């Protein structure tokens, strides 16, 4: 029941990624903009993802306000379109589990990295960023960041500084996935936050901390390849290149990125065709022929991005019966969905494709077979006279 999605990236062919045209006057003076290479993006997001270091809105948030502005201890290698991403060093140059205690991991940090405010990124900063989502007694603990962070690192419990460039992370149990999950813990500048805290209003430290995070989100400081330049909630986010970024391969080749929330596919398509933006995701499938006819190029790549139904296993739920779950799966016409989307969908066999290391040896074949589904429902005790009833929450 889980179709994979296909992201689309579009750019005007003559201009490529070094774009400096269109609505320049809305951003800065024509003289300034004539010297800048600007990329204007219409996002699928309905709002600017959170900018304080731990984005919301899933990976949309990570790729728009997480990865551009911040670094994590480990990164995904996103440089190849024809191969799956693999883990690579980020702020950590190496890591290993303790030979005698597999709940402890030691990470060696990259020397010389600075936050956008000029402060050093050291082991103290890593400990501080772990505390912001795990240590309720820390003055900078922010409950609003816990849900989008701790849930992706469920075993992480604490961090300890060993020396200026070495940090030890402790988990609740041995967890080989920790280096993968740490790609979601972005490092915000403790020094920059402290200045916001000292200037914040509030009768208690908790109130000052909450207001400090609000101020930090409007004037963020990470260590990523782009720096925040202008932020208008629900309207636009502007980032400028961090020319001193530590990784030459990821140093921006453009000067400025302007992001505008535009969740409706037809609106994004119209913005592209009218010259309001230069790059969009997920255009309306019906408009794709018109887009290519107008000289734009469509980049597409299947990815294992699924929207699974979360079935209730509460007492009395019909979904407890595996035959019912299988029958529902057999009723989804995935080939029909692919046709409806103009071919821009991969027909899945599961969360991962056959041949993937995680594929295993499933006995149930996901396909479209209504008669087989009806037979399973009959076996489960349902019929036209006794239909299955279920509530759907959206």
């Amino acid at each position: 029941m889980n179709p994979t999605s296909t992201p689309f990236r579009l750019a005007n062919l003559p201009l490529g990624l070094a774009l400096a045209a269109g609505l320049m006057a809305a951003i800065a003076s024509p003289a300034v903009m004539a010297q800048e290479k600007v990329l204007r993006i219409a996002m699928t997001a309905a709002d600017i993802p959170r900018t304080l270091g731990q984005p919301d809105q899933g990976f949309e948030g990570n790729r728009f306000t997480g990865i551009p502005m911040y670094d994590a201890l480990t990164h995904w290698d996103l440089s190849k379109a024809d191969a799956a991403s693999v883990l690579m060093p980020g702020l950590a140059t190496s890591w290993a589990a303790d030979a005698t205690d597999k709940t402890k991991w030691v990470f060696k940090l990259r020397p010389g990295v600075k936050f956008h405010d000029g402060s050093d990124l050291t082991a103290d900063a890593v400990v501080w960023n772990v505390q912001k989502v795990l240590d309720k007694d820390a003055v900078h603990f922010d409950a609003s960041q816990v849900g989008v962070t701790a849930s992706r690192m469920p075993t992480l419990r604490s961090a300890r500084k060993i020396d200026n460039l070495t940090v030890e992370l402790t988990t609740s149990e041995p967890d080989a996935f920790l280096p993968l999950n740490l790609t979601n813990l972005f490092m915000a500048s403790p020094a920059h936050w402290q200045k916001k805290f000292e200037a914040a209003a509030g009768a208690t430290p908790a109130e000052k901390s909450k207001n400090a995070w609000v101020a930090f989100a409007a004037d963020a400081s990470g260590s990523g390849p782009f720096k925040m330049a202008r932020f208008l909630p629900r309207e636009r986010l502007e980032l400028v290149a961090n020319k001193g970024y530590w990784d030459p391969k990821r140093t921006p080749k453009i000067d400025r990125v302007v992001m505008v929330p535009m969740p409706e596919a037809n609106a994004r398509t119209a913005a592209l065709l009218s010259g309001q933006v230069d790059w969009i995701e997920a255009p309306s499938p019906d408009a794709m022929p018109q887009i290519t006819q107008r000289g734009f190029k469509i980049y597409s790549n299947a990815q294992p991005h699924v929207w699974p139904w979360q079935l209730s296993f509460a007492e009395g739920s019909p979904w407890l019966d595996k035959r019912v779950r299988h029958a529902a799966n057999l009723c989804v016409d995935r080939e029909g969905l692919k046709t409806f989307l103009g071919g821009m969908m991969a027909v899945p066999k599961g969360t991962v494709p056959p041949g993937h290391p995680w594929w295993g040896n499933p006995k149930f074949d996901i396909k479209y077979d209504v008669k087989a589904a009806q037979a399973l429902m009959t076996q489960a005790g349902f019929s036209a006279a006794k239909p299955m009833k279920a509530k759907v929450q959206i």
Side-chain angles (χ1 to χ4, degrees), residues 2 19 37 85 87 116 136 161-162 174 176 179 189 220 235 262 278 293 317 328 356 358 366 389 392:
N2 306 333
L19 295 157
K37 297 176 181 178
S85 299
L87 200 66
H116 298 152
K136 294 181 179 180
K161 174 184 176 181
I162 295 178
S189 168
E235 291 185 22
M262 208 170 289
D278 310 301
Q293 290 168 8
S317 169
H356 190 280
W358 296 352
I366 295 178
K389 296 181 180 179
V392 178

Side-chain angles (χ1 to χ4, degrees), residues 53-54 62 65-75 88-92 110 113-116 121 126 129 132 182-189 221-226 242 244-247 250:
Q54 299 305 138
N62 277 17
T65 64
I67 293 171
M69 291 197 295
Y70 294 92
D71 286 312
L73 291 176
T74 54
H75 286 174
M88 67 179 190
L91 294 174
R110 190 177 302 279
V113 177
K114 290 187 177 295
F115 288 106
H116 298 152
L121 201 159
V126 175
N129 275 277
K132 75 183 179 185
L182 287 173
T183 59
N184 294 299
L185 180 62
F186 295 107
M187 300 294 153
S189 168
S221 178
S223 62
F226 284 93
N242 177 12
Y245 188 60
W246 56 265
D247 185 355
R250 295 184 63 218

Side-chain angles (χ1 to χ4, degrees), residues 57-304:
Q57 304 188 50
F59 203 76
E60 285 80 0
N62 277 17
R63 68 175 180 260
F64 286 128
T65 64
I67 293 171
M69 291 197 295
Y70 294 92
D71 286 312
L73 291 176
T74 54
H75 286 174
W76 289 111
D77 182 356
L78 303 176
S79 63
K80 302 178 181 66
D82 57 353
S85 299
V86 296
L87 200 66
M88 67 179 190
L91 294 174
T93 57
S94 65
W95 54 89
D98 188 281
T100 59
D101 184 352
K102 298 300 184 182
T103 66
K104 297 187 184 300
W105 288 75
V106 175
F107 288 77
K108 294 290 186 179
L109 303 183
R110 190 177 302 279
V113 177
K114 290 187 177 295
F115 288 106
H116 298 152
D117 60 286
S119 59
D120 294 328
L121 201 159
T122 64
D124 289 319
V126 175
V127 172
W128 187 93
N129 275 277
V130 172
Q131 290 175 330
K132 75 183 179 185
V133 292
L134 292 183
D135 186 355
K136 294 181 179 180
D137 293 327
V139 68
H140 62 288
F141 174 78
D142 184 13
S144 75
Q145 299 186 54
V146 172
V148 296
T149 310
S151 62
R152 297 174 178 175
M153 304 175 299
T155 66
L156 183 60
R157 291 294 178 266
S158 64
R160 180 177 70 89
K161 174 184 176 181
I162 295 178
D163 60 41
N164 214 34
L165 293 175
T166 311
V167 65
E168 177 188 82
L169 301 184
T170 300
T171 58
S172 58
E173 60 189 71
D175 183 5
F177 284 100
L178 182 67
L180 301 175
N181 292 336
L182 287 173
T183 59
N184 294 299
L185 180 62
F186 295 107
M187 300 294 153
S189 168
H192 192 61
W193 183 90
Q194 185 63 33
K195 291 180 180 178
K196 302 299 182 186
F197 178 79
E198 292 170 359
T204 66
E207 289 180 4
K208 286 175 65 67
S209 177
K210 183 176 181 179
N211 290 330
W213 278 117
V214 172
F216 186 97
D219 178 28
S221 178
S223 62
F226 284 93
K227 301 184 289 186
M228 179 184 284
R230 186 184 181 202
F231 177 43
L232 297 175
R234 295 173 294 280
E235 291 185 22
R236 69 193 297 122
L237 172 65
E238 296 184 24
L239 307 179
V240 294
N242 177 12
K243 298 299 186 181
Y245 188 60
W246 56 265
D247 185 355
K249 294 181 180 179
R250 295 184 63 218
T251 301
K253 295 178 175 60
I254 56 177
D255 300 310
R256 184 180 296 261
V257 176
V258 180
M259 304 181 204
V260 181
M262 208 170 289
E264 210 283 311
N266 288 327
R268 288 194 301 276
T269 301
L272 179 73
L273 295 175
S274 67
Q276 182 182 351
V277 298
D278 310 301
W279 189 98
I280 70 172
E281 297 183 294
S284 170
D286 294 341
M288 290 175 65
Q290 181 184 9
I291 291 171
T292 55
Q293 290 168 8
R294 293 278 294 273
F296 292 88
K297 185 172 183 179
I298 298 176
Y299 296 88
S300 64
N301 204 356
Q303 61 174 345

Side-chain angles (χ1 to χ4, degrees), residues 378 381-389:
T378 299
F382 297 99
S383 64
K386 185 187 174 183
M388 190 194 97
K389 296 181 180 179

